[in-house]
Amino acid sequence: MMRPVNASLDEHLPSDHRLSKVYRVGAGLTGLLLVAFGILGLIDRIGFFDTGGDTVLALNTNGALSVLSICIGLLLFIGMVIGGTFASTLNIVLGVLFIASGFVNLALLDTELNFLAFHIPNVLFSFVVGVMLMWFGMYGRVGSALPHDNPYWRARHPEQAAREQRARTSASGRTPAGRPA
């Protein structure tokens, strides 16, 4: 019989866990890219809602998109500093938002509602960054073959994880408290 798992994953991954490095690197590199793009856009003194076709790093931009890029990049830096499950969840959520932004801005390309001055390369960039962030965020968190020492696997299979822990402690001749049996 299948039972729903009511595990809170936020409690199961300390910020110094090895998976946290992947989440931190993903957030940091993507944040750095977005901040650099935003700063270069602001340095060019492009109008805030200008849709005149100004480009930075081969992407169309304006002041609003530059400021938005810097804000999201800084948010990713915060995720990098905090690490752990927070960074993973932040990467996943922002990845989904980047993909959604790509679709929304694709629909707005040739309209007057395209106030972020998106063009097709921007849409493709949004999709690529979204998938990349989702990959970084989901790494080691989802999958059908997670190792049994993975904190997310243990959170989803608490009964089997407890059995395996008891087997490990009895095999080492120690009780769970660390005293000799």
Side-chain angles (χ1 to χ4, degrees):
M1 177 172 125
M2 297 291 289
R3 290 177 290 175
V5 176
N6 294 324
S8 175
L9 297 180
D10 288 342
E11 300 170 7
H12 297 287
L13 185 66
S15 61
D16 62 343
H17 192 276
R18 66 179 187 259
L19 286 174
S20 185
K21 291 177 186 168
V22 174
Y23 309 144
R24 286 174 181 234
V25 167
L29 290 177
T30 308
L32 180 65
L33 177 69
L34 291 172
V35 168
F37 172 75
I39 289 173
L40 290 173
L42 290 178
I43 288 173
D44 283 351
R45 296 188 180 148
I46 301 168
F48 200 74
F49 290 113
D50 183 22
T51 58
D54 298 307
T55 60
V56 170
L57 300 176
L59 296 173
N60 207 47
T61 191
N62 62 17
L65 184 58
S66 295
V67 169
L68 183 62
S69 296
I70 291 171
C71 291
I72 293 172
L74 292 175
L75 183 61
L76 284 165
F77 281 137
I78 291 169
M80 178 187 74
V81 169
I82 294 173
T85 304
F86 177 82
S88 170
T89 303
L90 181 67
N91 285 345
I92 293 169
V93 168
L94 288 178
V96 169
L97 290 175
F98 264 92
I99 291 172
S101 168
F103 281 117
V104 167
N105 285 296
L106 181 63
L108 299 176
L109 278 182
D110 291 329
T111 69
E112 66 258 1
L113 298 175
N114 185 10
F115 63 89
L116 292 178
F118 262 56
H119 287 193
I120 287 294
N122 297 73
V123 171
L124 295 175
F125 177 80
S126 190
F127 288 148
V128 169
V129 168
V131 169
M132 188 174 67
L133 280 172
M134 287 177 55
W135 183 85
F136 278 123
M138 291 181 185
Y139 182 82
R141 189 169 179 170
V142 295
S144 61
L146 294 176
H148 290 205
D149 67 341
N150 182 294
Y152 297 109
W153 184 90
R154 284 185 278 134
R156 292 182 192 118
H157 305 92
E159 293 163 355
Q160 187 174 350
R163 282 194 303 270
E164 290 178 6
Q165 179 64 34
R166 284 191 301 273
R168 277 192 299 273
T169 56
S170 65
S172 68
R174 299 209 170 264
T175 62
R179 295 181 301 271

